[in-house]
Amino acid sequence: MRITLDIWRQKNPRDPGRFERFEVPNVNEHMSFLEMLDVLNQQLVSEGKEPVAFDSDCREGICGMCGFLINGEAHGPLRNATVCQTHMRHFKDGDVLRLEPWRASAFPVLRDLIVDRSALDRIIAAGGYTSTRAGSAAEANQILIPKPSADKAMEAAACIGCGACVASCPNAAAALFTGAKIAHLGHLPQGQPERMGRAIAMTSQAHAEGFGHCTTIGECEAVCPAGIKLEVISRMNKDFIKATLGGYANEVQTLAALPPSAAMRFFEAEPPKKEP
Amino acid sequence: MSTSVSPVSAPRATRLGALWNSAVGKKALMAVTGIVLFLFVLVHMIGNLQVFQGAAKINHYAELLRISPPFLWFTRIVLLVAVFVHALAGIELWMERQRARPVGYQDYRPVVSSTASRTMIWSGLLILLFVVYHLLDLTIGVVNPRFEHGQVYANLVASLSRAVGAAIYLVAMIGLGFHLWHGLYSMFQSLGLSNRGISPTIQKFAIGFAVLLTLGFSAVPLAVILGLVG
């Protein structure tokens, strides 16, 4: 099959960027989407051109590295799947596909389809931990966890942090991500000591990183490759309201100083180049 | 990827202030004020239907509402505060949204979201403008063709028998329907009261009341246009 691609090309975070059109004439329908891009890149390299930069690692939908919009849908048309799990048989011969990176002020584009998602890491750093007794190891089954709680915690823990929820949200909110992280720890007995502070710390961090707010439109749930449910946001809101009205806000140390990721620091340290 | 973070002590805030300063808290305040405003429009709609029982009935009802000035002013102040908080939070969050995605998508396809859910700011602003017009029309009377204080029935017939007057009311009520369609659903989520089990029921509740209120309010201008009331 023959596929035409309109791909976002951007040299670095400062480059304004533009779409560039590529033809991939010999696409096998059994190729994964990323394998099709590998073919394109090989073609570009053999022509002496710059290959298209995109993130990928496991290529089986469990690492959360890949992701961009295909024709306006995060991770493309296949539901409950990442871009790497999407195969070319989901498209038709002669399709024109527009590939666009996640767009949010908290996700600066580093190059082409690669964005810096370290803001999500900082949300986890702000409150995604539990107190644990160090030293002599406790018996593993000492703390009993009811099966429904374990199931819900496991379901929320399926979040791979790919950022599709942010990308598909008209407000660029990280509510589904943050809600999943809070629900994953909050459903377990081990997560209770920090539960109130965690809701404030992680939502404040998301706010400080420049993510928007949740308006419950449900696009995030629809495109989430890990099947995270919208109810994690409701749970996060409940924990947050309880914690704030309970007066926990002043006890939480918010991580307002936001060190940019190594990749972004490189560009911020370098003075802007003058256009010739 | 850097995950190192240095703690910074945030300025101390009151509990209500902490709610207002956060996006989640602002949404919670919007939900609470939204409930107040929903209950108001519901009672308002039921009250309006007395138009169909004749001029004497609705004029008497209007008198009844004003029987105690302290109660009247208490209600007015509660509603004003609710509108102010709801609108200000909505506008501030909408402005934050512009900052959260300064570069938009060339191509964006909504997968599941309703039109109502993606246009809340616009339906909200439409309702706000309408409320101003509505007060000038039927409470203060300056834009009403022949306003007479206390003559509710005659005033509304005068306003709604003009095509433009009726059109303003009908368009605004469709806007209200859109706003409630999503707002009545979303407020449960904002307050943390939604989950996968109850969510479909909440959706039905929201759609039901949105349709009921739109039809209930629209009945009056439609009846005036069709000559059933006048």
mmCIF file of all heavy atoms in Angstrom, chain B residues 40-79:
data_model
loop_
_atom_site.group_PDB
_atom_site.id
_atom_site.type_symbol
_atom_site.label_atom_id
_atom_site.label_comp_id
_atom_site.label_asym_id
_atom_site.label_seq_id
_atom_site.Cartn_x
_atom_site.Cartn_y
_atom_site.Cartn_z
ATOM 1 N N PHE B 40 -32.068 27.406 41.326
ATOM 2 C CA PHE B 40 -32.777 28.648 41.020
ATOM 3 C C PHE B 40 -33.535 28.539 39.693
ATOM 4 O O PHE B 40 -34.732 28.839 39.639
ATOM 5 C CB PHE B 40 -31.802 29.837 40.986
ATOM 6 C CG PHE B 40 -32.420 31.059 40.395
ATOM 7 C CD1 PHE B 40 -33.368 31.780 41.113
ATOM 8 C CD2 PHE B 40 -32.096 31.479 39.119
ATOM 9 C CE1 PHE B 40 -33.971 32.902 40.561
ATOM 10 C CE2 PHE B 40 -32.696 32.594 38.563
ATOM 11 C CZ PHE B 40 -33.635 33.303 39.290
ATOM 12 N N VAL B 41 -32.851 28.094 38.634
ATOM 13 C CA VAL B 41 -33.548 28.048 37.335
ATOM 14 C C VAL B 41 -34.690 27.034 37.357
ATOM 15 O O VAL B 41 -35.712 27.225 36.702
ATOM 16 C CB VAL B 41 -32.612 27.794 36.118
ATOM 17 C CG1 VAL B 41 -31.734 28.992 35.842
ATOM 18 C CG2 VAL B 41 -31.796 26.539 36.261
ATOM 19 N N LEU B 42 -34.522 25.977 38.146
ATOM 20 C CA LEU B 42 -35.591 24.972 38.234
ATOM 21 C C LEU B 42 -36.852 25.579 38.859
ATOM 22 O O LEU B 42 -37.956 25.461 38.312
ATOM 23 C CB LEU B 42 -35.099 23.773 39.065
ATOM 24 C CG LEU B 42 -36.057 22.597 39.179
ATOM 25 C CD1 LEU B 42 -36.327 21.976 37.819
ATOM 26 C CD2 LEU B 42 -35.501 21.537 40.132
ATOM 27 N N VAL B 43 -36.651 26.284 39.980
ATOM 28 C CA VAL B 43 -37.787 26.924 40.655
ATOM 29 C C VAL B 43 -38.383 28.014 39.750
ATOM 30 O O VAL B 43 -39.598 28.145 39.629
ATOM 31 C CB VAL B 43 -37.340 27.501 42.025
ATOM 32 C CG1 VAL B 43 -38.443 28.341 42.639
ATOM 33 C CG2 VAL B 43 -36.932 26.376 42.956
ATOM 34 N N HIS B 44 -37.499 28.751 39.079
ATOM 35 C CA HIS B 44 -37.913 29.824 38.173
ATOM 36 C C HIS B 44 -38.799 29.256 37.063
ATOM 37 O O HIS B 44 -39.858 29.815 36.736
ATOM 38 C CB HIS B 44 -36.655 30.467 37.588
ATOM 39 C CG HIS B 44 -36.892 31.730 36.831
ATOM 40 N ND1 HIS B 44 -38.132 32.139 36.409
ATOM 41 C CD2 HIS B 44 -36.024 32.685 36.397
ATOM 42 C CE1 HIS B 44 -38.018 33.286 35.750
ATOM 43 N NE2 HIS B 44 -36.749 33.635 35.729
ATOM 44 N N MET B 45 -38.379 28.129 36.495
ATOM 45 C CA MET B 45 -39.138 27.528 35.396
ATOM 46 C C MET B 45 -40.515 27.095 35.876
ATOM 47 O O MET B 45 -41.529 27.359 35.207
ATOM 48 C CB MET B 45 -38.349 26.345 34.827
ATOM 49 C CG MET B 45 -38.890 25.760 33.556
ATOM 50 S SD MET B 45 -40.147 24.510 33.840
ATOM 51 C CE MET B 45 -39.135 23.130 34.348
ATOM 52 N N ILE B 46 -40.553 26.457 37.035
ATOM 53 C CA ILE B 46 -41.845 25.999 37.566
ATOM 54 C C ILE B 46 -42.750 27.205 37.825
ATOM 55 O O ILE B 46 -43.937 27.199 37.474
ATOM 56 C CB ILE B 46 -41.624 25.146 38.840
ATOM 57 C CG1 ILE B 46 -40.870 23.860 38.492
ATOM 58 C CG2 ILE B 46 -42.969 24.808 39.503
ATOM 59 C CD1 ILE B 46 -40.329 23.105 39.686
ATOM 60 N N GLY B 47 -42.166 28.269 38.383
ATOM 61 C CA GLY B 47 -42.930 29.494 38.631
ATOM 62 C C GLY B 47 -43.491 30.084 37.354
ATOM 63 O O GLY B 47 -44.655 30.491 37.290
ATOM 64 N N ASN B 48 -42.650 30.071 36.292
ATOM 65 C CA ASN B 48 -43.071 30.646 35.002
ATOM 66 C C ASN B 48 -44.322 29.988 34.441
ATOM 67 O O ASN B 48 -45.107 30.628 33.753
ATOM 68 C CB ASN B 48 -41.969 30.436 33.963
ATOM 69 C CG ASN B 48 -40.859 31.439 34.110
ATOM 70 O OD1 ASN B 48 -40.851 32.214 35.058
ATOM 71 N ND2 ASN B 48 -39.923 31.419 33.193
ATOM 72 N N LEU B 49 -44.443 28.676 34.688
ATOM 73 C CA LEU B 49 -45.540 27.930 34.069
ATOM 74 C C LEU B 49 -46.906 28.427 34.538
ATOM 75 O O LEU B 49 -47.922 28.129 33.922
ATOM 76 C CB LEU B 49 -45.373 26.434 34.323
ATOM 77 C CG LEU B 49 -44.141 25.817 33.645
ATOM 78 C CD1 LEU B 49 -44.035 24.341 33.958
ATOM 79 C CD2 LEU B 49 -44.169 26.026 32.127
ATOM 80 N N GLN B 50 -46.911 29.239 35.630
ATOM 81 C CA GLN B 50 -48.181 29.793 36.099
ATOM 82 C C GLN B 50 -48.776 30.794 35.114
ATOM 83 O O GLN B 50 -49.938 31.179 35.247
ATOM 84 C CB GLN B 50 -47.988 30.456 37.456
ATOM 85 C CG GLN B 50 -47.629 29.448 38.525
ATOM 86 C CD GLN B 50 -47.312 30.120 39.839
ATOM 87 O OE1 GLN B 50 -48.152 30.774 40.411
ATOM 88 N NE2 GLN B 50 -46.095 29.962 40.289
ATOM 89 N N VAL B 51 -47.936 31.188 34.116
ATOM 90 C CA VAL B 51 -48.454 32.041 33.035
ATOM 91 C C VAL B 51 -49.685 31.386 32.416
ATOM 92 O O VAL B 51 -50.655 32.051 32.061
ATOM 93 C CB VAL B 51 -47.360 32.247 31.958
ATOM 94 C CG1 VAL B 51 -47.949 32.849 30.693
ATOM 95 C CG2 VAL B 51 -46.259 33.130 32.504
ATOM 96 N N PHE B 52 -49.639 30.064 32.317
ATOM 97 C CA PHE B 52 -50.740 29.340 31.664
ATOM 98 C C PHE B 52 -52.011 29.293 32.529
ATOM 99 O O PHE B 52 -53.048 28.847 32.067
ATOM 100 C CB PHE B 52 -50.277 27.929 31.288
ATOM 101 C CG PHE B 52 -49.174 27.947 30.266
ATOM 102 C CD1 PHE B 52 -47.851 27.722 30.644
ATOM 103 C CD2 PHE B 52 -49.444 28.246 28.942
ATOM 104 C CE1 PHE B 52 -46.828 27.770 29.718
ATOM 105 C CE2 PHE B 52 -48.427 28.288 28.003
ATOM 106 C CZ PHE B 52 -47.107 28.060 28.396
ATOM 107 N N GLN B 53 -51.888 29.746 33.794
ATOM 108 C CA GLN B 53 -53.071 29.772 34.657
ATOM 109 C C GLN B 53 -53.690 31.171 34.705
ATOM 110 O O GLN B 53 -54.552 31.426 35.536
ATOM 111 C CB GLN B 53 -52.701 29.294 36.062
ATOM 112 C CG GLN B 53 -52.362 27.810 36.095
ATOM 113 C CD GLN B 53 -51.855 27.385 37.451
ATOM 114 O OE1 GLN B 53 -50.773 27.775 37.890
ATOM 115 N NE2 GLN B 53 -52.655 26.588 38.146
ATOM 116 N N GLY B 54 -53.175 32.047 33.859
ATOM 117 C CA GLY B 54 -53.790 33.367 33.761
ATOM 118 C C GLY B 54 -53.001 34.463 34.434
ATOM 119 O O GLY B 54 -52.091 34.213 35.237
ATOM 120 N N ALA B 55 -53.360 35.697 34.081
ATOM 121 C CA ALA B 55 -52.640 36.880 34.539
ATOM 122 C C ALA B 55 -52.690 37.029 36.055
ATOM 123 O O ALA B 55 -51.675 37.314 36.707
ATOM 124 C CB ALA B 55 -53.210 38.128 33.866
ATOM 125 N N ALA B 56 -53.862 36.812 36.645
ATOM 126 C CA ALA B 56 -54.022 37.037 38.082
ATOM 127 C C ALA B 56 -53.088 36.132 38.878
ATOM 128 O O ALA B 56 -52.432 36.558 39.827
ATOM 129 C CB ALA B 56 -55.465 36.790 38.478
ATOM 130 N N LYS B 57 -53.026 34.883 38.445
ATOM 131 C CA LYS B 57 -52.228 33.873 39.150
ATOM 132 C C LYS B 57 -50.743 34.260 39.187
ATOM 133 O O LYS B 57 -50.114 34.283 40.247
ATOM 134 C CB LYS B 57 -52.425 32.530 38.446
ATOM 135 C CG LYS B 57 -51.713 31.374 39.097
ATOM 136 C CD LYS B 57 -52.503 30.773 40.242
ATOM 137 C CE LYS B 57 -51.709 29.616 40.840
ATOM 138 N NZ LYS B 57 -52.298 29.139 42.085
ATOM 139 N N ILE B 58 -50.176 34.579 38.001
ATOM 140 C CA ILE B 58 -48.729 34.858 37.968
ATOM 141 C C ILE B 58 -48.418 36.214 38.600
ATOM 142 O O ILE B 58 -47.386 36.373 39.251
ATOM 143 C CB ILE B 58 -48.140 34.731 36.546
ATOM 144 C CG1 ILE B 58 -46.595 34.778 36.627
ATOM 145 C CG2 ILE B 58 -48.645 35.807 35.601
ATOM 146 C CD1 ILE B 58 -45.907 33.892 35.680
ATOM 147 N N ASN B 59 -49.300 37.173 38.458
ATOM 148 C CA ASN B 59 -49.065 38.466 39.102
ATOM 149 C C ASN B 59 -49.067 38.315 40.618
ATOM 150 O O ASN B 59 -48.278 38.946 41.317
ATOM 151 C CB ASN B 59 -50.135 39.478 38.682
ATOM 152 C CG ASN B 59 -49.924 39.916 37.233
ATOM 153 O OD1 ASN B 59 -48.953 39.547 36.597
ATOM 154 N ND2 ASN B 59 -50.857 40.713 36.723
ATOM 155 N N HIS B 60 -49.948 37.448 41.108
ATOM 156 C CA HIS B 60 -50.013 37.210 42.548
ATOM 157 C C HIS B 60 -48.745 36.494 43.013
ATOM 158 O O HIS B 60 -48.182 36.810 44.073
ATOM 159 C CB HIS B 60 -51.245 36.360 42.879
ATOM 160 C CG HIS B 60 -51.338 36.026 44.340
ATOM 161 N ND1 HIS B 60 -51.580 36.980 45.309
ATOM 162 C CD2 HIS B 60 -51.202 34.838 44.996
ATOM 163 C CE1 HIS B 60 -51.579 36.398 46.487
ATOM 164 N NE2 HIS B 60 -51.346 35.097 46.338
ATOM 165 N N TYR B 61 -48.268 35.533 42.187
ATOM 166 C CA TYR B 61 -47.040 34.791 42.505
ATOM 167 C C TYR B 61 -45.855 35.761 42.601
ATOM 168 O O TYR B 61 -45.036 35.686 43.530
ATOM 169 C CB TYR B 61 -46.788 33.731 41.431
ATOM 170 C CG TYR B 61 -45.454 33.037 41.517
ATOM 171 C CD1 TYR B 61 -45.151 32.186 42.577
ATOM 172 C CD2 TYR B 61 -44.484 33.205 40.525
ATOM 173 C CE1 TYR B 61 -43.935 31.537 42.657
ATOM 174 C CE2 TYR B 61 -43.264 32.561 40.592
ATOM 175 C CZ TYR B 61 -42.990 31.717 41.661
ATOM 176 O OH TYR B 61 -41.781 31.087 41.722
ATOM 177 N N ALA B 62 -45.790 36.710 41.668
ATOM 178 C CA ALA B 62 -44.700 37.686 41.667
ATOM 179 C C ALA B 62 -44.756 38.555 42.933
ATOM 180 O O ALA B 62 -43.724 38.881 43.517
ATOM 181 C CB ALA B 62 -44.796 38.564 40.422
ATOM 182 N N GLU B 63 -45.964 38.902 43.334
ATOM 183 C CA GLU B 63 -46.133 39.684 44.573
ATOM 184 C C GLU B 63 -45.637 38.897 45.776
ATOM 185 O O GLU B 63 -44.970 39.431 46.663
ATOM 186 C CB GLU B 63 -47.628 39.960 44.783
ATOM 187 C CG GLU B 63 -48.027 41.414 44.697
ATOM 188 C CD GLU B 63 -49.546 41.528 44.710
ATOM 189 O OE1 GLU B 63 -50.140 41.211 45.760
ATOM 190 O OE2 GLU B 63 -50.114 41.900 43.659
ATOM 191 N N LEU B 64 -45.977 37.598 45.750
ATOM 192 C CA LEU B 64 -45.615 36.702 46.851
ATOM 193 C C LEU B 64 -44.094 36.643 47.024
ATOM 194 O O LEU B 64 -43.581 36.624 48.148
ATOM 195 C CB LEU B 64 -46.164 35.314 46.523
ATOM 196 C CG LEU B 64 -46.633 34.455 47.692
ATOM 197 C CD1 LEU B 64 -47.813 35.123 48.395
ATOM 198 C CD2 LEU B 64 -47.057 33.072 47.182
ATOM 199 N N LEU B 65 -43.368 36.630 45.882
ATOM 200 C CA LEU B 65 -41.912 36.545 45.922
ATOM 201 C C LEU B 65 -41.302 37.784 46.594
ATOM 202 O O LEU B 65 -40.222 37.731 47.158
ATOM 203 C CB LEU B 65 -41.337 36.411 44.507
ATOM 204 C CG LEU B 65 -41.594 35.090 43.782
ATOM 205 C CD1 LEU B 65 -41.007 35.143 42.383
ATOM 206 C CD2 LEU B 65 -40.989 33.915 44.546
ATOM 207 N N ARG B 66 -42.036 38.905 46.503
ATOM 208 C CA ARG B 66 -41.513 40.168 47.036
ATOM 209 C C ARG B 66 -42.114 40.523 48.388
ATOM 210 O O ARG B 66 -41.937 41.642 48.860
ATOM 211 C CB ARG B 66 -41.794 41.298 46.035
ATOM 212 C CG ARG B 66 -40.963 41.192 44.782
ATOM 213 C CD ARG B 66 -41.570 42.007 43.658
ATOM 214 N NE ARG B 66 -40.833 41.808 42.425
ATOM 215 C CZ ARG B 66 -39.863 42.643 42.019
ATOM 216 N NH1 ARG B 66 -39.561 43.695 42.714
ATOM 217 N NH2 ARG B 66 -39.224 42.390 40.905
ATOM 218 N N ILE B 67 -42.781 39.567 48.996
ATOM 219 C CA ILE B 67 -43.525 39.888 50.225
ATOM 220 C C ILE B 67 -42.592 40.262 51.379
ATOM 221 O O ILE B 67 -42.916 41.101 52.211
ATOM 222 C CB ILE B 67 -44.471 38.721 50.583
ATOM 223 C CG1 ILE B 67 -45.683 39.249 51.351
ATOM 224 C CG2 ILE B 67 -43.790 37.622 51.373
ATOM 225 C CD1 ILE B 67 -46.903 38.350 51.233
ATOM 226 N N SER B 68 -41.393 39.649 51.383
ATOM 227 C CA SER B 68 -40.438 39.975 52.445
ATOM 228 C C SER B 68 -39.161 40.541 51.828
ATOM 229 O O SER B 68 -38.366 39.798 51.257
ATOM 230 C CB SER B 68 -40.129 38.710 53.250
ATOM 231 O OG SER B 68 -38.872 38.824 53.853
ATOM 232 N N PRO B 69 -38.949 41.856 51.923
ATOM 233 C CA PRO B 69 -37.746 42.449 51.319
ATOM 234 C C PRO B 69 -36.433 41.818 51.814
ATOM 235 O O PRO B 69 -35.534 41.601 50.996
ATOM 236 C CB PRO B 69 -37.843 43.928 51.678
ATOM 237 C CG PRO B 69 -39.309 44.152 51.920
ATOM 238 C CD PRO B 69 -39.842 42.869 52.477
ATOM 239 N N PRO B 70 -36.278 41.520 53.118
ATOM 240 C CA PRO B 70 -35.013 40.894 53.527
ATOM 241 C C PRO B 70 -34.779 39.548 52.822
ATOM 242 O O PRO B 70 -33.665 39.267 52.368
ATOM 243 C CB PRO B 70 -35.171 40.678 55.031
ATOM 244 C CG PRO B 70 -36.247 41.598 55.449
ATOM 245 C CD PRO B 70 -37.158 41.767 54.284
ATOM 246 N N PHE B 71 -35.829 38.747 52.676
ATOM 247 C CA PHE B 71 -35.690 37.452 52.005
ATOM 248 C C PHE B 71 -35.347 37.653 50.530
ATOM 249 O O PHE B 71 -34.480 36.971 49.976
ATOM 250 C CB PHE B 71 -36.987 36.648 52.159
ATOM 251 C CG PHE B 71 -36.969 35.357 51.380
ATOM 252 C CD1 PHE B 71 -36.203 34.281 51.813
ATOM 253 C CD2 PHE B 71 -37.692 35.224 50.198
ATOM 254 C CE1 PHE B 71 -36.176 33.102 51.098
ATOM 255 C CE2 PHE B 71 -37.647 34.041 49.467
ATOM 256 C CZ PHE B 71 -36.898 32.982 49.916
ATOM 257 N N LEU B 72 -36.023 38.623 49.909
ATOM 258 C CA LEU B 72 -35.774 38.925 48.504
ATOM 259 C C LEU B 72 -34.316 39.315 48.288
ATOM 260 O O LEU B 72 -33.644 38.805 47.389
ATOM 261 C CB LEU B 72 -36.696 40.065 48.058
ATOM 262 C CG LEU B 72 -36.529 40.542 46.616
ATOM 263 C CD1 LEU B 72 -37.010 39.491 45.638
ATOM 264 C CD2 LEU B 72 -37.269 41.848 46.386
ATOM 265 N N TRP B 73 -33.825 40.191 49.155
ATOM 266 C CA TRP B 73 -32.444 40.651 48.993
ATOM 267 C C TRP B 73 -31.431 39.583 49.353
ATOM 268 O O TRP B 73 -30.363 39.490 48.730
ATOM 269 C CB TRP B 73 -32.203 41.954 49.765
ATOM 270 C CG TRP B 73 -32.721 43.086 48.954
ATOM 271 C CD1 TRP B 73 -33.906 43.747 49.117
ATOM 272 C CD2 TRP B 73 -32.114 43.630 47.768
ATOM 273 N NE1 TRP B 73 -34.077 44.676 48.135
ATOM 274 C CE2 TRP B 73 -32.995 44.640 47.290
ATOM 275 C CE3 TRP B 73 -30.935 43.392 47.072
ATOM 276 C CZ2 TRP B 73 -32.714 45.383 46.150
ATOM 277 C CZ3 TRP B 73 -30.654 44.132 45.938
ATOM 278 C CH2 TRP B 73 -31.536 45.116 45.477
ATOM 279 N N PHE B 74 -31.767 38.757 50.328
ATOM 280 C CA PHE B 74 -30.886 37.632 50.671
ATOM 281 C C PHE B 74 -30.729 36.721 49.441
ATOM 282 O O PHE B 74 -29.613 36.371 49.046
ATOM 283 C CB PHE B 74 -31.461 36.851 51.856
ATOM 284 C CG PHE B 74 -30.728 35.566 52.139
ATOM 285 C CD1 PHE B 74 -29.496 35.586 52.776
ATOM 286 C CD2 PHE B 74 -31.270 34.340 51.754
ATOM 287 C CE1 PHE B 74 -28.814 34.405 53.024
ATOM 288 C CE2 PHE B 74 -30.586 33.155 51.993
ATOM 289 C CZ PHE B 74 -29.355 33.186 52.631
ATOM 290 N N THR B 75 -31.863 36.385 48.825
ATOM 291 C CA THR B 75 -31.832 35.515 47.640
ATOM 292 C C THR B 75 -31.047 36.167 46.508
ATOM 293 O O THR B 75 -30.215 35.537 45.866
ATOM 294 C CB THR B 75 -33.267 35.228 47.167
ATOM 295 O OG1 THR B 75 -34.051 34.920 48.305
ATOM 296 C CG2 THR B 75 -33.317 34.080 46.190
ATOM 297 N N ARG B 76 -31.317 37.459 46.313
ATOM 298 C CA ARG B 76 -30.615 38.162 45.224
ATOM 299 C C ARG B 76 -29.106 38.161 45.448
ATOM 300 O O ARG B 76 -28.339 37.964 44.507
ATOM 301 C CB ARG B 76 -31.117 39.611 45.141
ATOM 302 C CG ARG B 76 -32.447 39.706 44.434
ATOM 303 C CD ARG B 76 -32.946 41.126 44.432
ATOM 304 N NE ARG B 76 -34.130 41.237 43.570
ATOM 305 C CZ ARG B 76 -34.852 42.347 43.474
ATOM 306 N NH1 ARG B 76 -34.529 43.416 44.181
ATOM 307 N NH2 ARG B 76 -35.886 42.379 42.670
ATOM 308 N N ILE B 77 -28.692 38.384 46.704
ATOM 309 C CA ILE B 77 -27.252 38.450 46.988
ATOM 310 C C ILE B 77 -26.614 37.071 46.820
ATOM 311 O O ILE B 77 -25.543 36.939 46.208
ATOM 312 C CB ILE B 77 -26.996 39.053 48.391
ATOM 313 C CG1 ILE B 77 -27.295 40.559 48.331
ATOM 314 C CG2 ILE B 77 -25.560 38.822 48.850
ATOM 315 C CD1 ILE B 77 -27.440 41.219 49.676
ATOM 316 N N VAL B 78 -27.303 36.026 47.301
ATOM 317 C CA VAL B 78 -26.778 34.665 47.127
ATOM 318 C C VAL B 78 -26.605 34.367 45.632
ATOM 319 O O VAL B 78 -25.559 33.871 45.197
ATOM 320 C CB VAL B 78 -27.722 33.616 47.782
ATOM 321 C CG1 VAL B 78 -27.352 32.208 47.325
ATOM 322 C CG2 VAL B 78 -27.649 33.720 49.296
ATOM 323 N N LEU B 79 -27.599 34.720 44.844
ATOM 324 C CA LEU B 79 -27.527 34.442 43.404
ATOM 325 C C LEU B 79 -26.427 35.268 42.735
ATOM 326 O O LEU B 79 -25.687 34.756 41.899
ATOM 327 C CB LEU B 79 -28.879 34.732 42.738
ATOM 328 C CG LEU B 79 -29.985 33.733 43.075
ATOM 329 C CD1 LEU B 79 -31.321 34.199 42.513
ATOM 330 C CD2 LEU B 79 -29.661 32.340 42.547
#
